[in-house]
Structures are given as C-alpha cells and as structure tokens.
Amino acid sequence: MRPISGFPTGSTFRLAGAALLAALAAAPAWADPARPGASAAADGTKAAAKPVREDKAEGAASKDGDPALRAQLQALGYKYEVDEDGDFVLTFALDEQRSQMAYVLSRTQRYGSLKVREIWSPAYRSADRGALPAAVANRLLEDGQLSKLGGWVSQDGVAVFVVKLDADASQQTLDDAIDYAVRAADQMEAELTPGQDEF
C-alpha cells in the first residue's frame, strides 16, 4: 500500500505553509537562511529538514523546479510544494499516527555518462546537531547493508535516506523510489526515536 500523498487535514498532518515560515528562525546550520528550520514548530507541525548540497549540480535552477519532474509528480497525483531551490517537497500520511517528508531534487548530478536525480527523506537529528551518536551511525550502516535501494548519509547531525536514480527514470520508477525512501526513513525514525515523528 502506497503512502497517501499530499496535505491532508486533521491531526495526521503536521506540515503547513505557515508553520514552515514560522520555523525559519530555528534553521539549523546546514539550512539555507531563507529555508524553514528543521525543528518542530511551536504548534506541533513538522518543519523542513533538507540538507544543503554544495557539490556541482546541473538541471533546472528555476524556482518552479524541473518541468519534466513536475509533470511526472502531477501525473502520479502527488501534491507538493516547491522550495527556493526549485526542489519538490512532499509530505505523506503513512497512517493515522505518522507522516513523512521527502524531497525530490530538480537539479541532477553527472558522472561520465550517468545523470542522477536524488530523493531525500530525513529520519534522525542528533541532539546537538553535531556528529551522530556511534550507536545510531552503526545502526544506519547495518540498515544500509540490507537496503534494496539507497542508503544513509549524515549532514550536520541529520541522518537522511537518499535514493539515487536515473534522472530520466520512468514515472513508475520515480514512484517506487519515492515510496521506498519515505518508508525506509519513517521506519528508521520510528526505531531510533520511539513515540516521536519530527520528520
């Protein structure tokens, strides 16, 4: 069963545009100064948690995002917001208790003949926003060994599940990759922070 995409109403949904703007003041070190912060807002909503990539990227730099990617997401029926980088921010209601954020990046990466798009879904934040605790880092490495698709990265104390796929992947492949990233990140978040759902 796929997660339900979009911005449902009620207690299961904790991401709202106003909350994103309210969280700006709490932005972590890795966040763009104009991007919403990563800690939960005072009203209990989720705030954005997107690490910043400093390496060279190509693709759509438009604030509207990659038009081909936008068309795929719309055809899949996904609701989204577009951030300042032109990346697509999605929130999924996984059940009545949990939801999970994902980012589908407009910009792509190249290596030789390969052109890759990334899907990010955060799962854990260290208390001091520094290095991940050793036990957490080891658990993520163990999980990465079993992962069918993607793996864990750490940036400024945030553990993010990243799936890399062909930038020209089919709509079905994109759908599967988003689904996998969201489920993997939410499962790990539930394991590492029982009873919490920050992302």
PDB file of all heavy atoms in Angstrom, residues 127-165:
ATOM      1  N   ALA A 127      21.070  15.409  19.022  1.00  0.00           N
ATOM      2  CA  ALA A 127      20.621  16.411  19.991  1.00  0.00           C
ATOM      3  C   ALA A 127      21.367  17.733  19.848  1.00  0.00           C
ATOM      4  O   ALA A 127      20.785  18.799  19.959  1.00  0.00           O
ATOM      5  CB  ALA A 127      20.769  15.863  21.402  1.00  0.00           C
ATOM      6  N   ASP A 128      22.670  17.662  19.588  1.00  0.00           N
ATOM      7  CA  ASP A 128      23.464  18.890  19.498  1.00  0.00           C
ATOM      8  C   ASP A 128      23.740  19.310  18.056  1.00  0.00           C
ATOM      9  O   ASP A 128      24.530  20.209  17.810  1.00  0.00           O
ATOM     10  CB  ASP A 128      24.776  18.727  20.257  1.00  0.00           C
ATOM     11  CG  ASP A 128      25.646  17.616  19.678  1.00  0.00           C
ATOM     12  OD1 ASP A 128      25.218  16.957  18.703  1.00  0.00           O
ATOM     13  OD2 ASP A 128      26.750  17.411  20.192  1.00  0.00           O
ATOM     14  N   ARG A 129      23.082  18.640  17.119  1.00  0.00           N
ATOM     15  CA  ARG A 129      23.265  18.904  15.686  1.00  0.00           C
ATOM     16  C   ARG A 129      24.713  18.711  15.253  1.00  0.00           C
ATOM     17  O   ARG A 129      25.158  19.283  14.267  1.00  0.00           O
ATOM     18  CB  ARG A 129      22.754  20.290  15.315  1.00  0.00           C
ATOM     19  CG  ARG A 129      21.267  20.420  15.541  1.00  0.00           C
ATOM     20  CD  ARG A 129      20.740  21.742  15.050  1.00  0.00           C
ATOM     21  NE  ARG A 129      19.301  21.803  15.323  1.00  0.00           N
ATOM     22  CZ  ARG A 129      18.581  22.891  15.228  1.00  0.00           C
ATOM     23  NH1 ARG A 129      19.133  24.006  14.864  1.00  0.00           N
ATOM     24  NH2 ARG A 129      17.301  22.855  15.485  1.00  0.00           N
ATOM     25  N   GLY A 130      25.431  17.898  16.014  1.00  0.00           N
ATOM     26  CA  GLY A 130      26.811  17.558  15.670  1.00  0.00           C
ATOM     27  C   GLY A 130      26.855  16.163  15.083  1.00  0.00           C
ATOM     28  O   GLY A 130      25.911  15.735  14.409  1.00  0.00           O
ATOM     29  N   ALA A 131      27.922  15.453  15.353  1.00  0.00           N
ATOM     30  CA  ALA A 131      28.077  14.094  14.827  1.00  0.00           C
ATOM     31  C   ALA A 131      26.981  13.189  15.378  1.00  0.00           C
ATOM     32  O   ALA A 131      26.514  13.357  16.502  1.00  0.00           O
ATOM     33  CB  ALA A 131      29.452  13.545  15.221  1.00  0.00           C
ATOM     34  N   LEU A 132      26.591  12.228  14.566  1.00  0.00           N
ATOM     35  CA  LEU A 132      25.610  11.250  15.021  1.00  0.00           C
ATOM     36  C   LEU A 132      26.232  10.392  16.119  1.00  0.00           C
ATOM     37  O   LEU A 132      27.419  10.067  16.059  1.00  0.00           O
ATOM     38  CB  LEU A 132      25.182  10.348  13.861  1.00  0.00           C
ATOM     39  CG  LEU A 132      24.470  11.013  12.684  1.00  0.00           C
ATOM     40  CD1 LEU A 132      24.202   9.990  11.601  1.00  0.00           C
ATOM     41  CD2 LEU A 132      23.176  11.668  13.129  1.00  0.00           C
ATOM     42  N   PRO A 133      25.449   9.988  17.115  1.00  0.00           N
ATOM     43  CA  PRO A 133      25.979   9.077  18.132  1.00  0.00           C
ATOM     44  C   PRO A 133      26.459   7.781  17.466  1.00  0.00           C
ATOM     45  O   PRO A 133      25.885   7.337  16.465  1.00  0.00           O
ATOM     46  CB  PRO A 133      24.770   8.812  19.030  1.00  0.00           C
ATOM     47  CG  PRO A 133      23.851   9.969  18.803  1.00  0.00           C
ATOM     48  CD  PRO A 133      24.069  10.394  17.388  1.00  0.00           C
ATOM     49  N   ALA A 134      27.489   7.167  18.020  1.00  0.00           N
ATOM     50  CA  ALA A 134      28.082   5.970  17.424  1.00  0.00           C
ATOM     51  C   ALA A 134      27.055   4.864  17.237  1.00  0.00           C
ATOM     52  O   ALA A 134      27.027   4.196  16.196  1.00  0.00           O
ATOM     53  CB  ALA A 134      29.245   5.484  18.282  1.00  0.00           C
ATOM     54  N   ALA A 135      26.195   4.652  18.210  1.00  0.00           N
ATOM     55  CA  ALA A 135      25.194   3.584  18.104  1.00  0.00           C
ATOM     56  C   ALA A 135      24.237   3.845  16.944  1.00  0.00           C
ATOM     57  O   ALA A 135      23.852   2.921  16.222  1.00  0.00           O
ATOM     58  CB  ALA A 135      24.425   3.448  19.416  1.00  0.00           C
ATOM     59  N   VAL A 136      23.852   5.101  16.754  1.00  0.00           N
ATOM     60  CA  VAL A 136      22.957   5.458  15.651  1.00  0.00           C
ATOM     61  C   VAL A 136      23.675   5.267  14.312  1.00  0.00           C
ATOM     62  O   VAL A 136      23.130   4.669  13.376  1.00  0.00           O
ATOM     63  CB  VAL A 136      22.450   6.904  15.796  1.00  0.00           C
ATOM     64  CG1 VAL A 136      21.727   7.370  14.546  1.00  0.00           C
ATOM     65  CG2 VAL A 136      21.547   7.025  17.023  1.00  0.00           C
ATOM     66  N   ALA A 137      24.894   5.762  14.221  1.00  0.00           N
ATOM     67  CA  ALA A 137      25.658   5.626  12.975  1.00  0.00           C
ATOM     68  C   ALA A 137      25.856   4.159  12.614  1.00  0.00           C
ATOM     69  O   ALA A 137      25.704   3.771  11.441  1.00  0.00           O
ATOM     70  CB  ALA A 137      27.009   6.329  13.110  1.00  0.00           C
ATOM     71  N   ASN A 138      26.164   3.333  13.611  1.00  0.00           N
ATOM     72  CA  ASN A 138      26.331   1.904  13.345  1.00  0.00           C
ATOM     73  C   ASN A 138      25.022   1.258  12.900  1.00  0.00           C
ATOM     74  O   ASN A 138      25.012   0.412  12.009  1.00  0.00           O
ATOM     75  CB  ASN A 138      26.894   1.189  14.573  1.00  0.00           C
ATOM     76  CG  ASN A 138      28.368   1.476  14.758  1.00  0.00           C
ATOM     77  OD1 ASN A 138      29.091   1.729  13.796  1.00  0.00           O
ATOM     78  ND2 ASN A 138      28.822   1.444  15.997  1.00  0.00           N
ATOM     79  N   ARG A 139      23.911   1.669  13.492  1.00  0.00           N
ATOM     80  CA  ARG A 139      22.609   1.119  13.092  1.00  0.00           C
ATOM     81  C   ARG A 139      22.298   1.498  11.650  1.00  0.00           C
ATOM     82  O   ARG A 139      21.770   0.684  10.875  1.00  0.00           O
ATOM     83  CB  ARG A 139      21.510   1.621  14.043  1.00  0.00           C
ATOM     84  CG  ARG A 139      20.120   1.161  13.674  1.00  0.00           C
ATOM     85  CD  ARG A 139      19.998  -0.355  13.743  1.00  0.00           C
ATOM     86  NE  ARG A 139      18.736  -0.810  13.197  1.00  0.00           N
ATOM     87  CZ  ARG A 139      18.601  -1.403  12.011  1.00  0.00           C
ATOM     88  NH1 ARG A 139      19.654  -1.649  11.258  1.00  0.00           N
ATOM     89  NH2 ARG A 139      17.414  -1.765  11.578  1.00  0.00           N
ATOM     90  N   LEU A 140      22.616   2.719  11.259  1.00  0.00           N
ATOM     91  CA  LEU A 140      22.375   3.161   9.879  1.00  0.00           C
ATOM     92  C   LEU A 140      23.239   2.388   8.898  1.00  0.00           C
ATOM     93  O   LEU A 140      22.784   2.021   7.806  1.00  0.00           O
ATOM     94  CB  LEU A 140      22.620   4.665   9.750  1.00  0.00           C
ATOM     95  CG  LEU A 140      21.698   5.566  10.580  1.00  0.00           C
ATOM     96  CD1 LEU A 140      22.108   7.016  10.428  1.00  0.00           C
ATOM     97  CD2 LEU A 140      20.241   5.368  10.201  1.00  0.00           C
ATOM     98  N   LEU A 141      24.500   2.108   9.277  1.00  0.00           N
ATOM     99  CA  LEU A 141      25.368   1.300   8.418  1.00  0.00           C
ATOM    100  C   LEU A 141      24.822  -0.111   8.261  1.00  0.00           C
ATOM    101  O   LEU A 141      24.827  -0.665   7.154  1.00  0.00           O
ATOM    102  CB  LEU A 141      26.785   1.250   8.992  1.00  0.00           C
ATOM    103  CG  LEU A 141      27.614   2.517   8.849  1.00  0.00           C
ATOM    104  CD1 LEU A 141      28.906   2.394   9.642  1.00  0.00           C
ATOM    105  CD2 LEU A 141      27.905   2.805   7.387  1.00  0.00           C
ATOM    106  N   GLU A 142      24.327  -0.688   9.341  1.00  0.00           N
ATOM    107  CA  GLU A 142      23.727  -2.020   9.270  1.00  0.00           C
ATOM    108  C   GLU A 142      22.513  -2.015   8.344  1.00  0.00           C
ATOM    109  O   GLU A 142      22.340  -2.915   7.526  1.00  0.00           O
ATOM    110  CB  GLU A 142      23.305  -2.492  10.660  1.00  0.00           C
ATOM    111  CG  GLU A 142      24.453  -2.805  11.586  1.00  0.00           C
ATOM    112  CD  GLU A 142      23.993  -2.995  13.029  1.00  0.00           C
ATOM    113  OE1 GLU A 142      22.775  -2.886  13.308  1.00  0.00           O
ATOM    114  OE2 GLU A 142      24.862  -3.248  13.884  1.00  0.00           O
ATOM    115  N   ASP A 143      21.685  -0.999   8.484  1.00  0.00           N
ATOM    116  CA  ASP A 143      20.491  -0.900   7.653  1.00  0.00           C
ATOM    117  C   ASP A 143      20.853  -0.718   6.182  1.00  0.00           C
ATOM    118  O   ASP A 143      20.218  -1.288   5.302  1.00  0.00           O
ATOM    119  CB  ASP A 143      19.610   0.263   8.118  1.00  0.00           C
ATOM    120  CG  ASP A 143      18.292   0.312   7.380  1.00  0.00           C
ATOM    121  OD1 ASP A 143      17.438  -0.558   7.644  1.00  0.00           O
ATOM    122  OD2 ASP A 143      18.116   1.217   6.532  1.00  0.00           O
ATOM    123  N   GLY A 144      21.889   0.079   5.932  1.00  0.00           N
ATOM    124  CA  GLY A 144      22.318   0.310   4.555  1.00  0.00           C
ATOM    125  C   GLY A 144      22.751  -0.962   3.853  1.00  0.00           C
ATOM    126  O   GLY A 144      22.559  -1.112   2.646  1.00  0.00           O
ATOM    127  N   GLN A 145      23.317  -1.896   4.614  1.00  0.00           N
ATOM    128  CA  GLN A 145      23.756  -3.157   4.026  1.00  0.00           C
ATOM    129  C   GLN A 145      22.563  -3.963   3.540  1.00  0.00           C
ATOM    130  O   GLN A 145      22.667  -4.722   2.572  1.00  0.00           O
ATOM    131  CB  GLN A 145      24.565  -3.953   5.067  1.00  0.00           C
ATOM    132  CG  GLN A 145      25.296  -5.153   4.528  1.00  0.00           C
ATOM    133  CD  GLN A 145      24.475  -6.434   4.615  1.00  0.00           C
ATOM    134  OE1 GLN A 145      23.592  -6.560   5.454  1.00  0.00           O
ATOM    135  NE2 GLN A 145      24.760  -7.363   3.745  1.00  0.00           N
ATOM    136  N   LEU A 146      21.409  -3.798   4.159  1.00  0.00           N
ATOM    137  CA  LEU A 146      20.211  -4.555   3.792  1.00  0.00           C
ATOM    138  C   LEU A 146      19.325  -3.821   2.792  1.00  0.00           C
ATOM    139  O   LEU A 146      18.400  -4.414   2.246  1.00  0.00           O
ATOM    140  CB  LEU A 146      19.395  -4.866   5.054  1.00  0.00           C
ATOM    141  CG  LEU A 146      20.110  -5.686   6.127  1.00  0.00           C
ATOM    142  CD1 LEU A 146      19.257  -5.767   7.380  1.00  0.00           C
ATOM    143  CD2 LEU A 146      20.434  -7.073   5.600  1.00  0.00           C
ATOM    144  N   SER A 147      19.596  -2.558   2.565  1.00  0.00           N
ATOM    145  CA  SER A 147      18.738  -1.743   1.713  1.00  0.00           C
ATOM    146  C   SER A 147      18.773  -2.200   0.258  1.00  0.00           C
ATOM    147  O   SER A 147      19.833  -2.409  -0.315  1.00  0.00           O
ATOM    148  CB  SER A 147      19.158  -0.276   1.797  1.00  0.00           C
ATOM    149  OG  SER A 147      18.381   0.503   0.920  1.00  0.00           O
ATOM    150  N   LYS A 148      17.596  -2.331  -0.319  1.00  0.00           N
ATOM    151  CA  LYS A 148      17.496  -2.686  -1.733  1.00  0.00           C
ATOM    152  C   LYS A 148      17.803  -1.487  -2.629  1.00  0.00           C
ATOM    153  O   LYS A 148      18.177  -1.637  -3.776  1.00  0.00           O
ATOM    154  CB  LYS A 148      16.081  -3.176  -2.050  1.00  0.00           C
ATOM    155  CG  LYS A 148      15.700  -4.483  -1.407  1.00  0.00           C
ATOM    156  CD  LYS A 148      14.261  -4.823  -1.763  1.00  0.00           C
ATOM    157  CE  LYS A 148      13.817  -6.120  -1.146  1.00  0.00           C
ATOM    158  NZ  LYS A 148      13.687  -6.045   0.307  1.00  0.00           N
ATOM    159  N   LEU A 149      17.605  -0.304  -2.065  1.00  0.00           N
ATOM    160  CA  LEU A 149      17.669   0.905  -2.883  1.00  0.00           C
ATOM    161  C   LEU A 149      18.063   2.064  -1.983  1.00  0.00           C
ATOM    162  O   LEU A 149      17.386   2.342  -1.006  1.00  0.00           O
ATOM    163  CB  LEU A 149      16.272   1.148  -3.470  1.00  0.00           C
ATOM    164  CG  LEU A 149      16.053   2.266  -4.452  1.00  0.00           C
ATOM    165  CD1 LEU A 149      16.776   1.964  -5.757  1.00  0.00           C
ATOM    166  CD2 LEU A 149      14.560   2.412  -4.738  1.00  0.00           C
ATOM    167  N   GLY A 150      19.164   2.711  -2.267  1.00  0.00           N
ATOM    168  CA  GLY A 150      19.549   3.879  -1.486  1.00  0.00           C
ATOM    169  C   GLY A 150      20.346   3.542  -0.245  1.00  0.00           C
ATOM    170  O   GLY A 150      20.667   2.386   0.027  1.00  0.00           O
ATOM    171  N   GLY A 151      20.680   4.576   0.501  1.00  0.00           N
ATOM    172  CA  GLY A 151      21.464   4.418   1.709  1.00  0.00           C
ATOM    173  C   GLY A 151      21.422   5.680   2.540  1.00  0.00           C
ATOM    174  O   GLY A 151      20.810   6.676   2.170  1.00  0.00           O
ATOM    175  N   TRP A 152      22.110   5.628   3.671  1.00  0.00           N
ATOM    176  CA  TRP A 152      22.088   6.718   4.636  1.00  0.00           C
ATOM    177  C   TRP A 152      23.274   7.650   4.477  1.00  0.00           C
ATOM    178  O   TRP A 152      24.385   7.202   4.225  1.00  0.00           O
ATOM    179  CB  TRP A 152      22.092   6.147   6.056  1.00  0.00           C
ATOM    180  CG  TRP A 152      20.821   5.416   6.337  1.00  0.00           C
ATOM    181  CD1 TRP A 152      20.619   4.062   6.269  1.00  0.00           C
ATOM    182  CD2 TRP A 152      19.571   5.991   6.678  1.00  0.00           C
ATOM    183  NE1 TRP A 152      19.309   3.776   6.559  1.00  0.00           N
ATOM    184  CE2 TRP A 152      18.639   4.941   6.820  1.00  0.00           C
ATOM    185  CE3 TRP A 152      19.135   7.305   6.885  1.00  0.00           C
ATOM    186  CZ2 TRP A 152      17.312   5.162   7.157  1.00  0.00           C
ATOM    187  CZ3 TRP A 152      17.812   7.526   7.224  1.00  0.00           C
ATOM    188  CH2 TRP A 152      16.917   6.457   7.359  1.00  0.00           C
ATOM    189  N   VAL A 153      23.010   8.943   4.652  1.00  0.00           N
ATOM    190  CA  VAL A 153      24.062   9.949   4.714  1.00  0.00           C
ATOM    191  C   VAL A 153      23.838  10.777   5.974  1.00  0.00           C
ATOM    192  O   VAL A 153      22.730  10.813   6.516  1.00  0.00           O
ATOM    193  CB  VAL A 153      24.076  10.874   3.461  1.00  0.00           C
ATOM    194  CG1 VAL A 153      24.288  10.064   2.195  1.00  0.00           C
ATOM    195  CG2 VAL A 153      22.821  11.713   3.373  1.00  0.00           C
ATOM    196  N   SER A 154      24.893  11.412   6.445  1.00  0.00           N
ATOM    197  CA  SER A 154      24.795  12.285   7.604  1.00  0.00           C
ATOM    198  C   SER A 154      25.316  13.654   7.215  1.00  0.00           C
ATOM    199  O   SER A 154      26.384  13.771   6.625  1.00  0.00           O
ATOM    200  CB  SER A 154      25.631  11.721   8.758  1.00  0.00           C
ATOM    201  OG  SER A 154      25.674  12.644   9.820  1.00  0.00           O
ATOM    202  N   GLN A 155      24.545  14.659   7.554  1.00  0.00           N
ATOM    203  CA  GLN A 155      24.966  16.021   7.277  1.00  0.00           C
ATOM    204  C   GLN A 155      24.537  16.906   8.434  1.00  0.00           C
ATOM    205  O   GLN A 155      23.346  17.035   8.715  1.00  0.00           O
ATOM    206  CB  GLN A 155      24.354  16.505   5.960  1.00  0.00           C
ATOM    207  CG  GLN A 155      25.075  17.657   5.348  1.00  0.00           C
ATOM    208  CD  GLN A 155      24.618  17.898   3.922  1.00  0.00           C
ATOM    209  OE1 GLN A 155      23.439  17.886   3.631  1.00  0.00           O
ATOM    210  NE2 GLN A 155      25.557  18.137   3.041  1.00  0.00           N
ATOM    211  N   ASP A 156      25.528  17.460   9.124  1.00  0.00           N
ATOM    212  CA  ASP A 156      25.259  18.357  10.248  1.00  0.00           C
ATOM    213  C   ASP A 156      24.300  17.759  11.259  1.00  0.00           C
ATOM    214  O   ASP A 156      23.372  18.418  11.721  1.00  0.00           O
ATOM    215  CB  ASP A 156      24.742  19.706   9.748  1.00  0.00           C
ATOM    216  CG  ASP A 156      25.781  20.454   8.924  1.00  0.00           C
ATOM    217  OD1 ASP A 156      26.964  20.426   9.314  1.00  0.00           O
ATOM    218  OD2 ASP A 156      25.413  21.040   7.893  1.00  0.00           O
ATOM    219  N   GLY A 157      24.522  16.502  11.593  1.00  0.00           N
ATOM    220  CA  GLY A 157      23.738  15.860  12.630  1.00  0.00           C
ATOM    221  C   GLY A 157      22.386  15.337  12.207  1.00  0.00           C
ATOM    222  O   GLY A 157      21.596  14.923  13.040  1.00  0.00           O
ATOM    223  N   VAL A 158      22.089  15.348  10.921  1.00  0.00           N
ATOM    224  CA  VAL A 158      20.825  14.809  10.422  1.00  0.00           C
ATOM    225  C   VAL A 158      21.123  13.584   9.568  1.00  0.00           C
ATOM    226  O   VAL A 158      21.947  13.641   8.648  1.00  0.00           O
ATOM    227  CB  VAL A 158      20.043  15.854   9.590  1.00  0.00           C
ATOM    228  CG1 VAL A 158      18.765  15.247   9.019  1.00  0.00           C
ATOM    229  CG2 VAL A 158      19.723  17.068  10.440  1.00  0.00           C
ATOM    230  N   ALA A 159      20.451  12.484   9.885  1.00  0.00           N
ATOM    231  CA  ALA A 159      20.556  11.266   9.075  1.00  0.00           C
ATOM    232  C   ALA A 159      19.466  11.315   8.020  1.00  0.00           C
ATOM    233  O   ALA A 159      18.280  11.467   8.338  1.00  0.00           O
ATOM    234  CB  ALA A 159      20.395  10.032   9.950  1.00  0.00           C
ATOM    235  N   VAL A 160      19.869  11.192   6.766  1.00  0.00           N
ATOM    236  CA  VAL A 160      18.948  11.305   5.639  1.00  0.00           C
ATOM    237  C   VAL A 160      19.082  10.064   4.769  1.00  0.00           C
ATOM    238  O   VAL A 160      20.199   9.671   4.409  1.00  0.00           O
ATOM    239  CB  VAL A 160      19.260  12.568   4.794  1.00  0.00           C
ATOM    240  CG1 VAL A 160      18.278  12.708   3.639  1.00  0.00           C
ATOM    241  CG2 VAL A 160      19.250  13.814   5.667  1.00  0.00           C
ATOM    242  N   PHE A 161      17.942   9.459   4.429  1.00  0.00           N
ATOM    243  CA  PHE A 161      17.961   8.339   3.497  1.00  0.00           C
ATOM    244  C   PHE A 161      17.925   8.930   2.093  1.00  0.00           C
ATOM    245  O   PHE A 161      17.069   9.755   1.776  1.00  0.00           O
ATOM    246  CB  PHE A 161      16.763   7.404   3.713  1.00  0.00           C
ATOM    247  CG  PHE A 161      16.904   6.114   2.963  1.00  0.00           C
ATOM    248  CD1 PHE A 161      17.691   5.092   3.473  1.00  0.00           C
ATOM    249  CD2 PHE A 161      16.277   5.925   1.752  1.00  0.00           C
ATOM    250  CE1 PHE A 161      17.847   3.897   2.781  1.00  0.00           C
ATOM    251  CE2 PHE A 161      16.414   4.743   1.054  1.00  0.00           C
ATOM    252  CZ  PHE A 161      17.203   3.718   1.575  1.00  0.00           C
ATOM    253  N   VAL A 162      18.871   8.513   1.244  1.00  0.00           N
ATOM    254  CA  VAL A 162      18.984   9.060  -0.107  1.00  0.00           C
ATOM    255  C   VAL A 162      18.890   7.942  -1.127  1.00  0.00           C
ATOM    256  O   VAL A 162      19.631   6.961  -1.060  1.00  0.00           O
ATOM    257  CB  VAL A 162      20.320   9.818  -0.289  1.00  0.00           C
ATOM    258  CG1 VAL A 162      20.444  10.360  -1.708  1.00  0.00           C
ATOM    259  CG2 VAL A 162      20.442  10.947   0.719  1.00  0.00           C
ATOM    260  N   VAL A 163      17.982   8.111  -2.064  1.00  0.00           N
ATOM    261  CA  VAL A 163      17.876   7.216  -3.210  1.00  0.00           C
ATOM    262  C   VAL A 163      18.371   7.992  -4.418  1.00  0.00           C
ATOM    263  O   VAL A 163      17.959   9.131  -4.646  1.00  0.00           O
ATOM    264  CB  VAL A 163      16.420   6.757  -3.445  1.00  0.00           C
ATOM    265  CG1 VAL A 163      16.298   5.989  -4.759  1.00  0.00           C
ATOM    266  CG2 VAL A 163      15.932   5.912  -2.289  1.00  0.00           C
ATOM    267  N   LYS A 164      19.268   7.377  -5.174  1.00  0.00           N
ATOM    268  CA  LYS A 164      19.772   7.987  -6.405  1.00  0.00           C
ATOM    269  C   LYS A 164      19.292   7.136  -7.563  1.00  0.00           C
ATOM    270  O   LYS A 164      19.497   5.927  -7.576  1.00  0.00           O
ATOM    271  CB  LYS A 164      21.298   8.055  -6.372  1.00  0.00           C
ATOM    272  CG  LYS A 164      21.820   8.898  -5.229  1.00  0.00           C
ATOM    273  CD  LYS A 164      23.327   8.979  -5.203  1.00  0.00           C
ATOM    274  CE  LYS A 164      23.782   9.808  -4.011  1.00  0.00           C
ATOM    275  NZ  LYS A 164      25.211  10.081  -4.020  1.00  0.00           N
ATOM    276  N   LEU A 165      18.652   7.781  -8.533  1.00  0.00           N
ATOM    277  CA  LEU A 165      18.152   7.049  -9.683  1.00  0.00           C
ATOM    278  C   LEU A 165      18.415   7.833 -10.953  1.00  0.00           C
ATOM    279  O   LEU A 165      18.732   9.030 -10.907  1.00  0.00           O
ATOM    280  CB  LEU A 165      16.662   6.737  -9.526  1.00  0.00           C
ATOM    281  CG  LEU A 165      15.667   7.891  -9.625  1.00  0.00           C
ATOM    282  CD1 LEU A 165      14.304   7.342 -10.014  1.00  0.00           C
ATOM    283  CD2 LEU A 165      15.535   8.600  -8.301  1.00  0.00           C
TER     284      LEU A 165
END
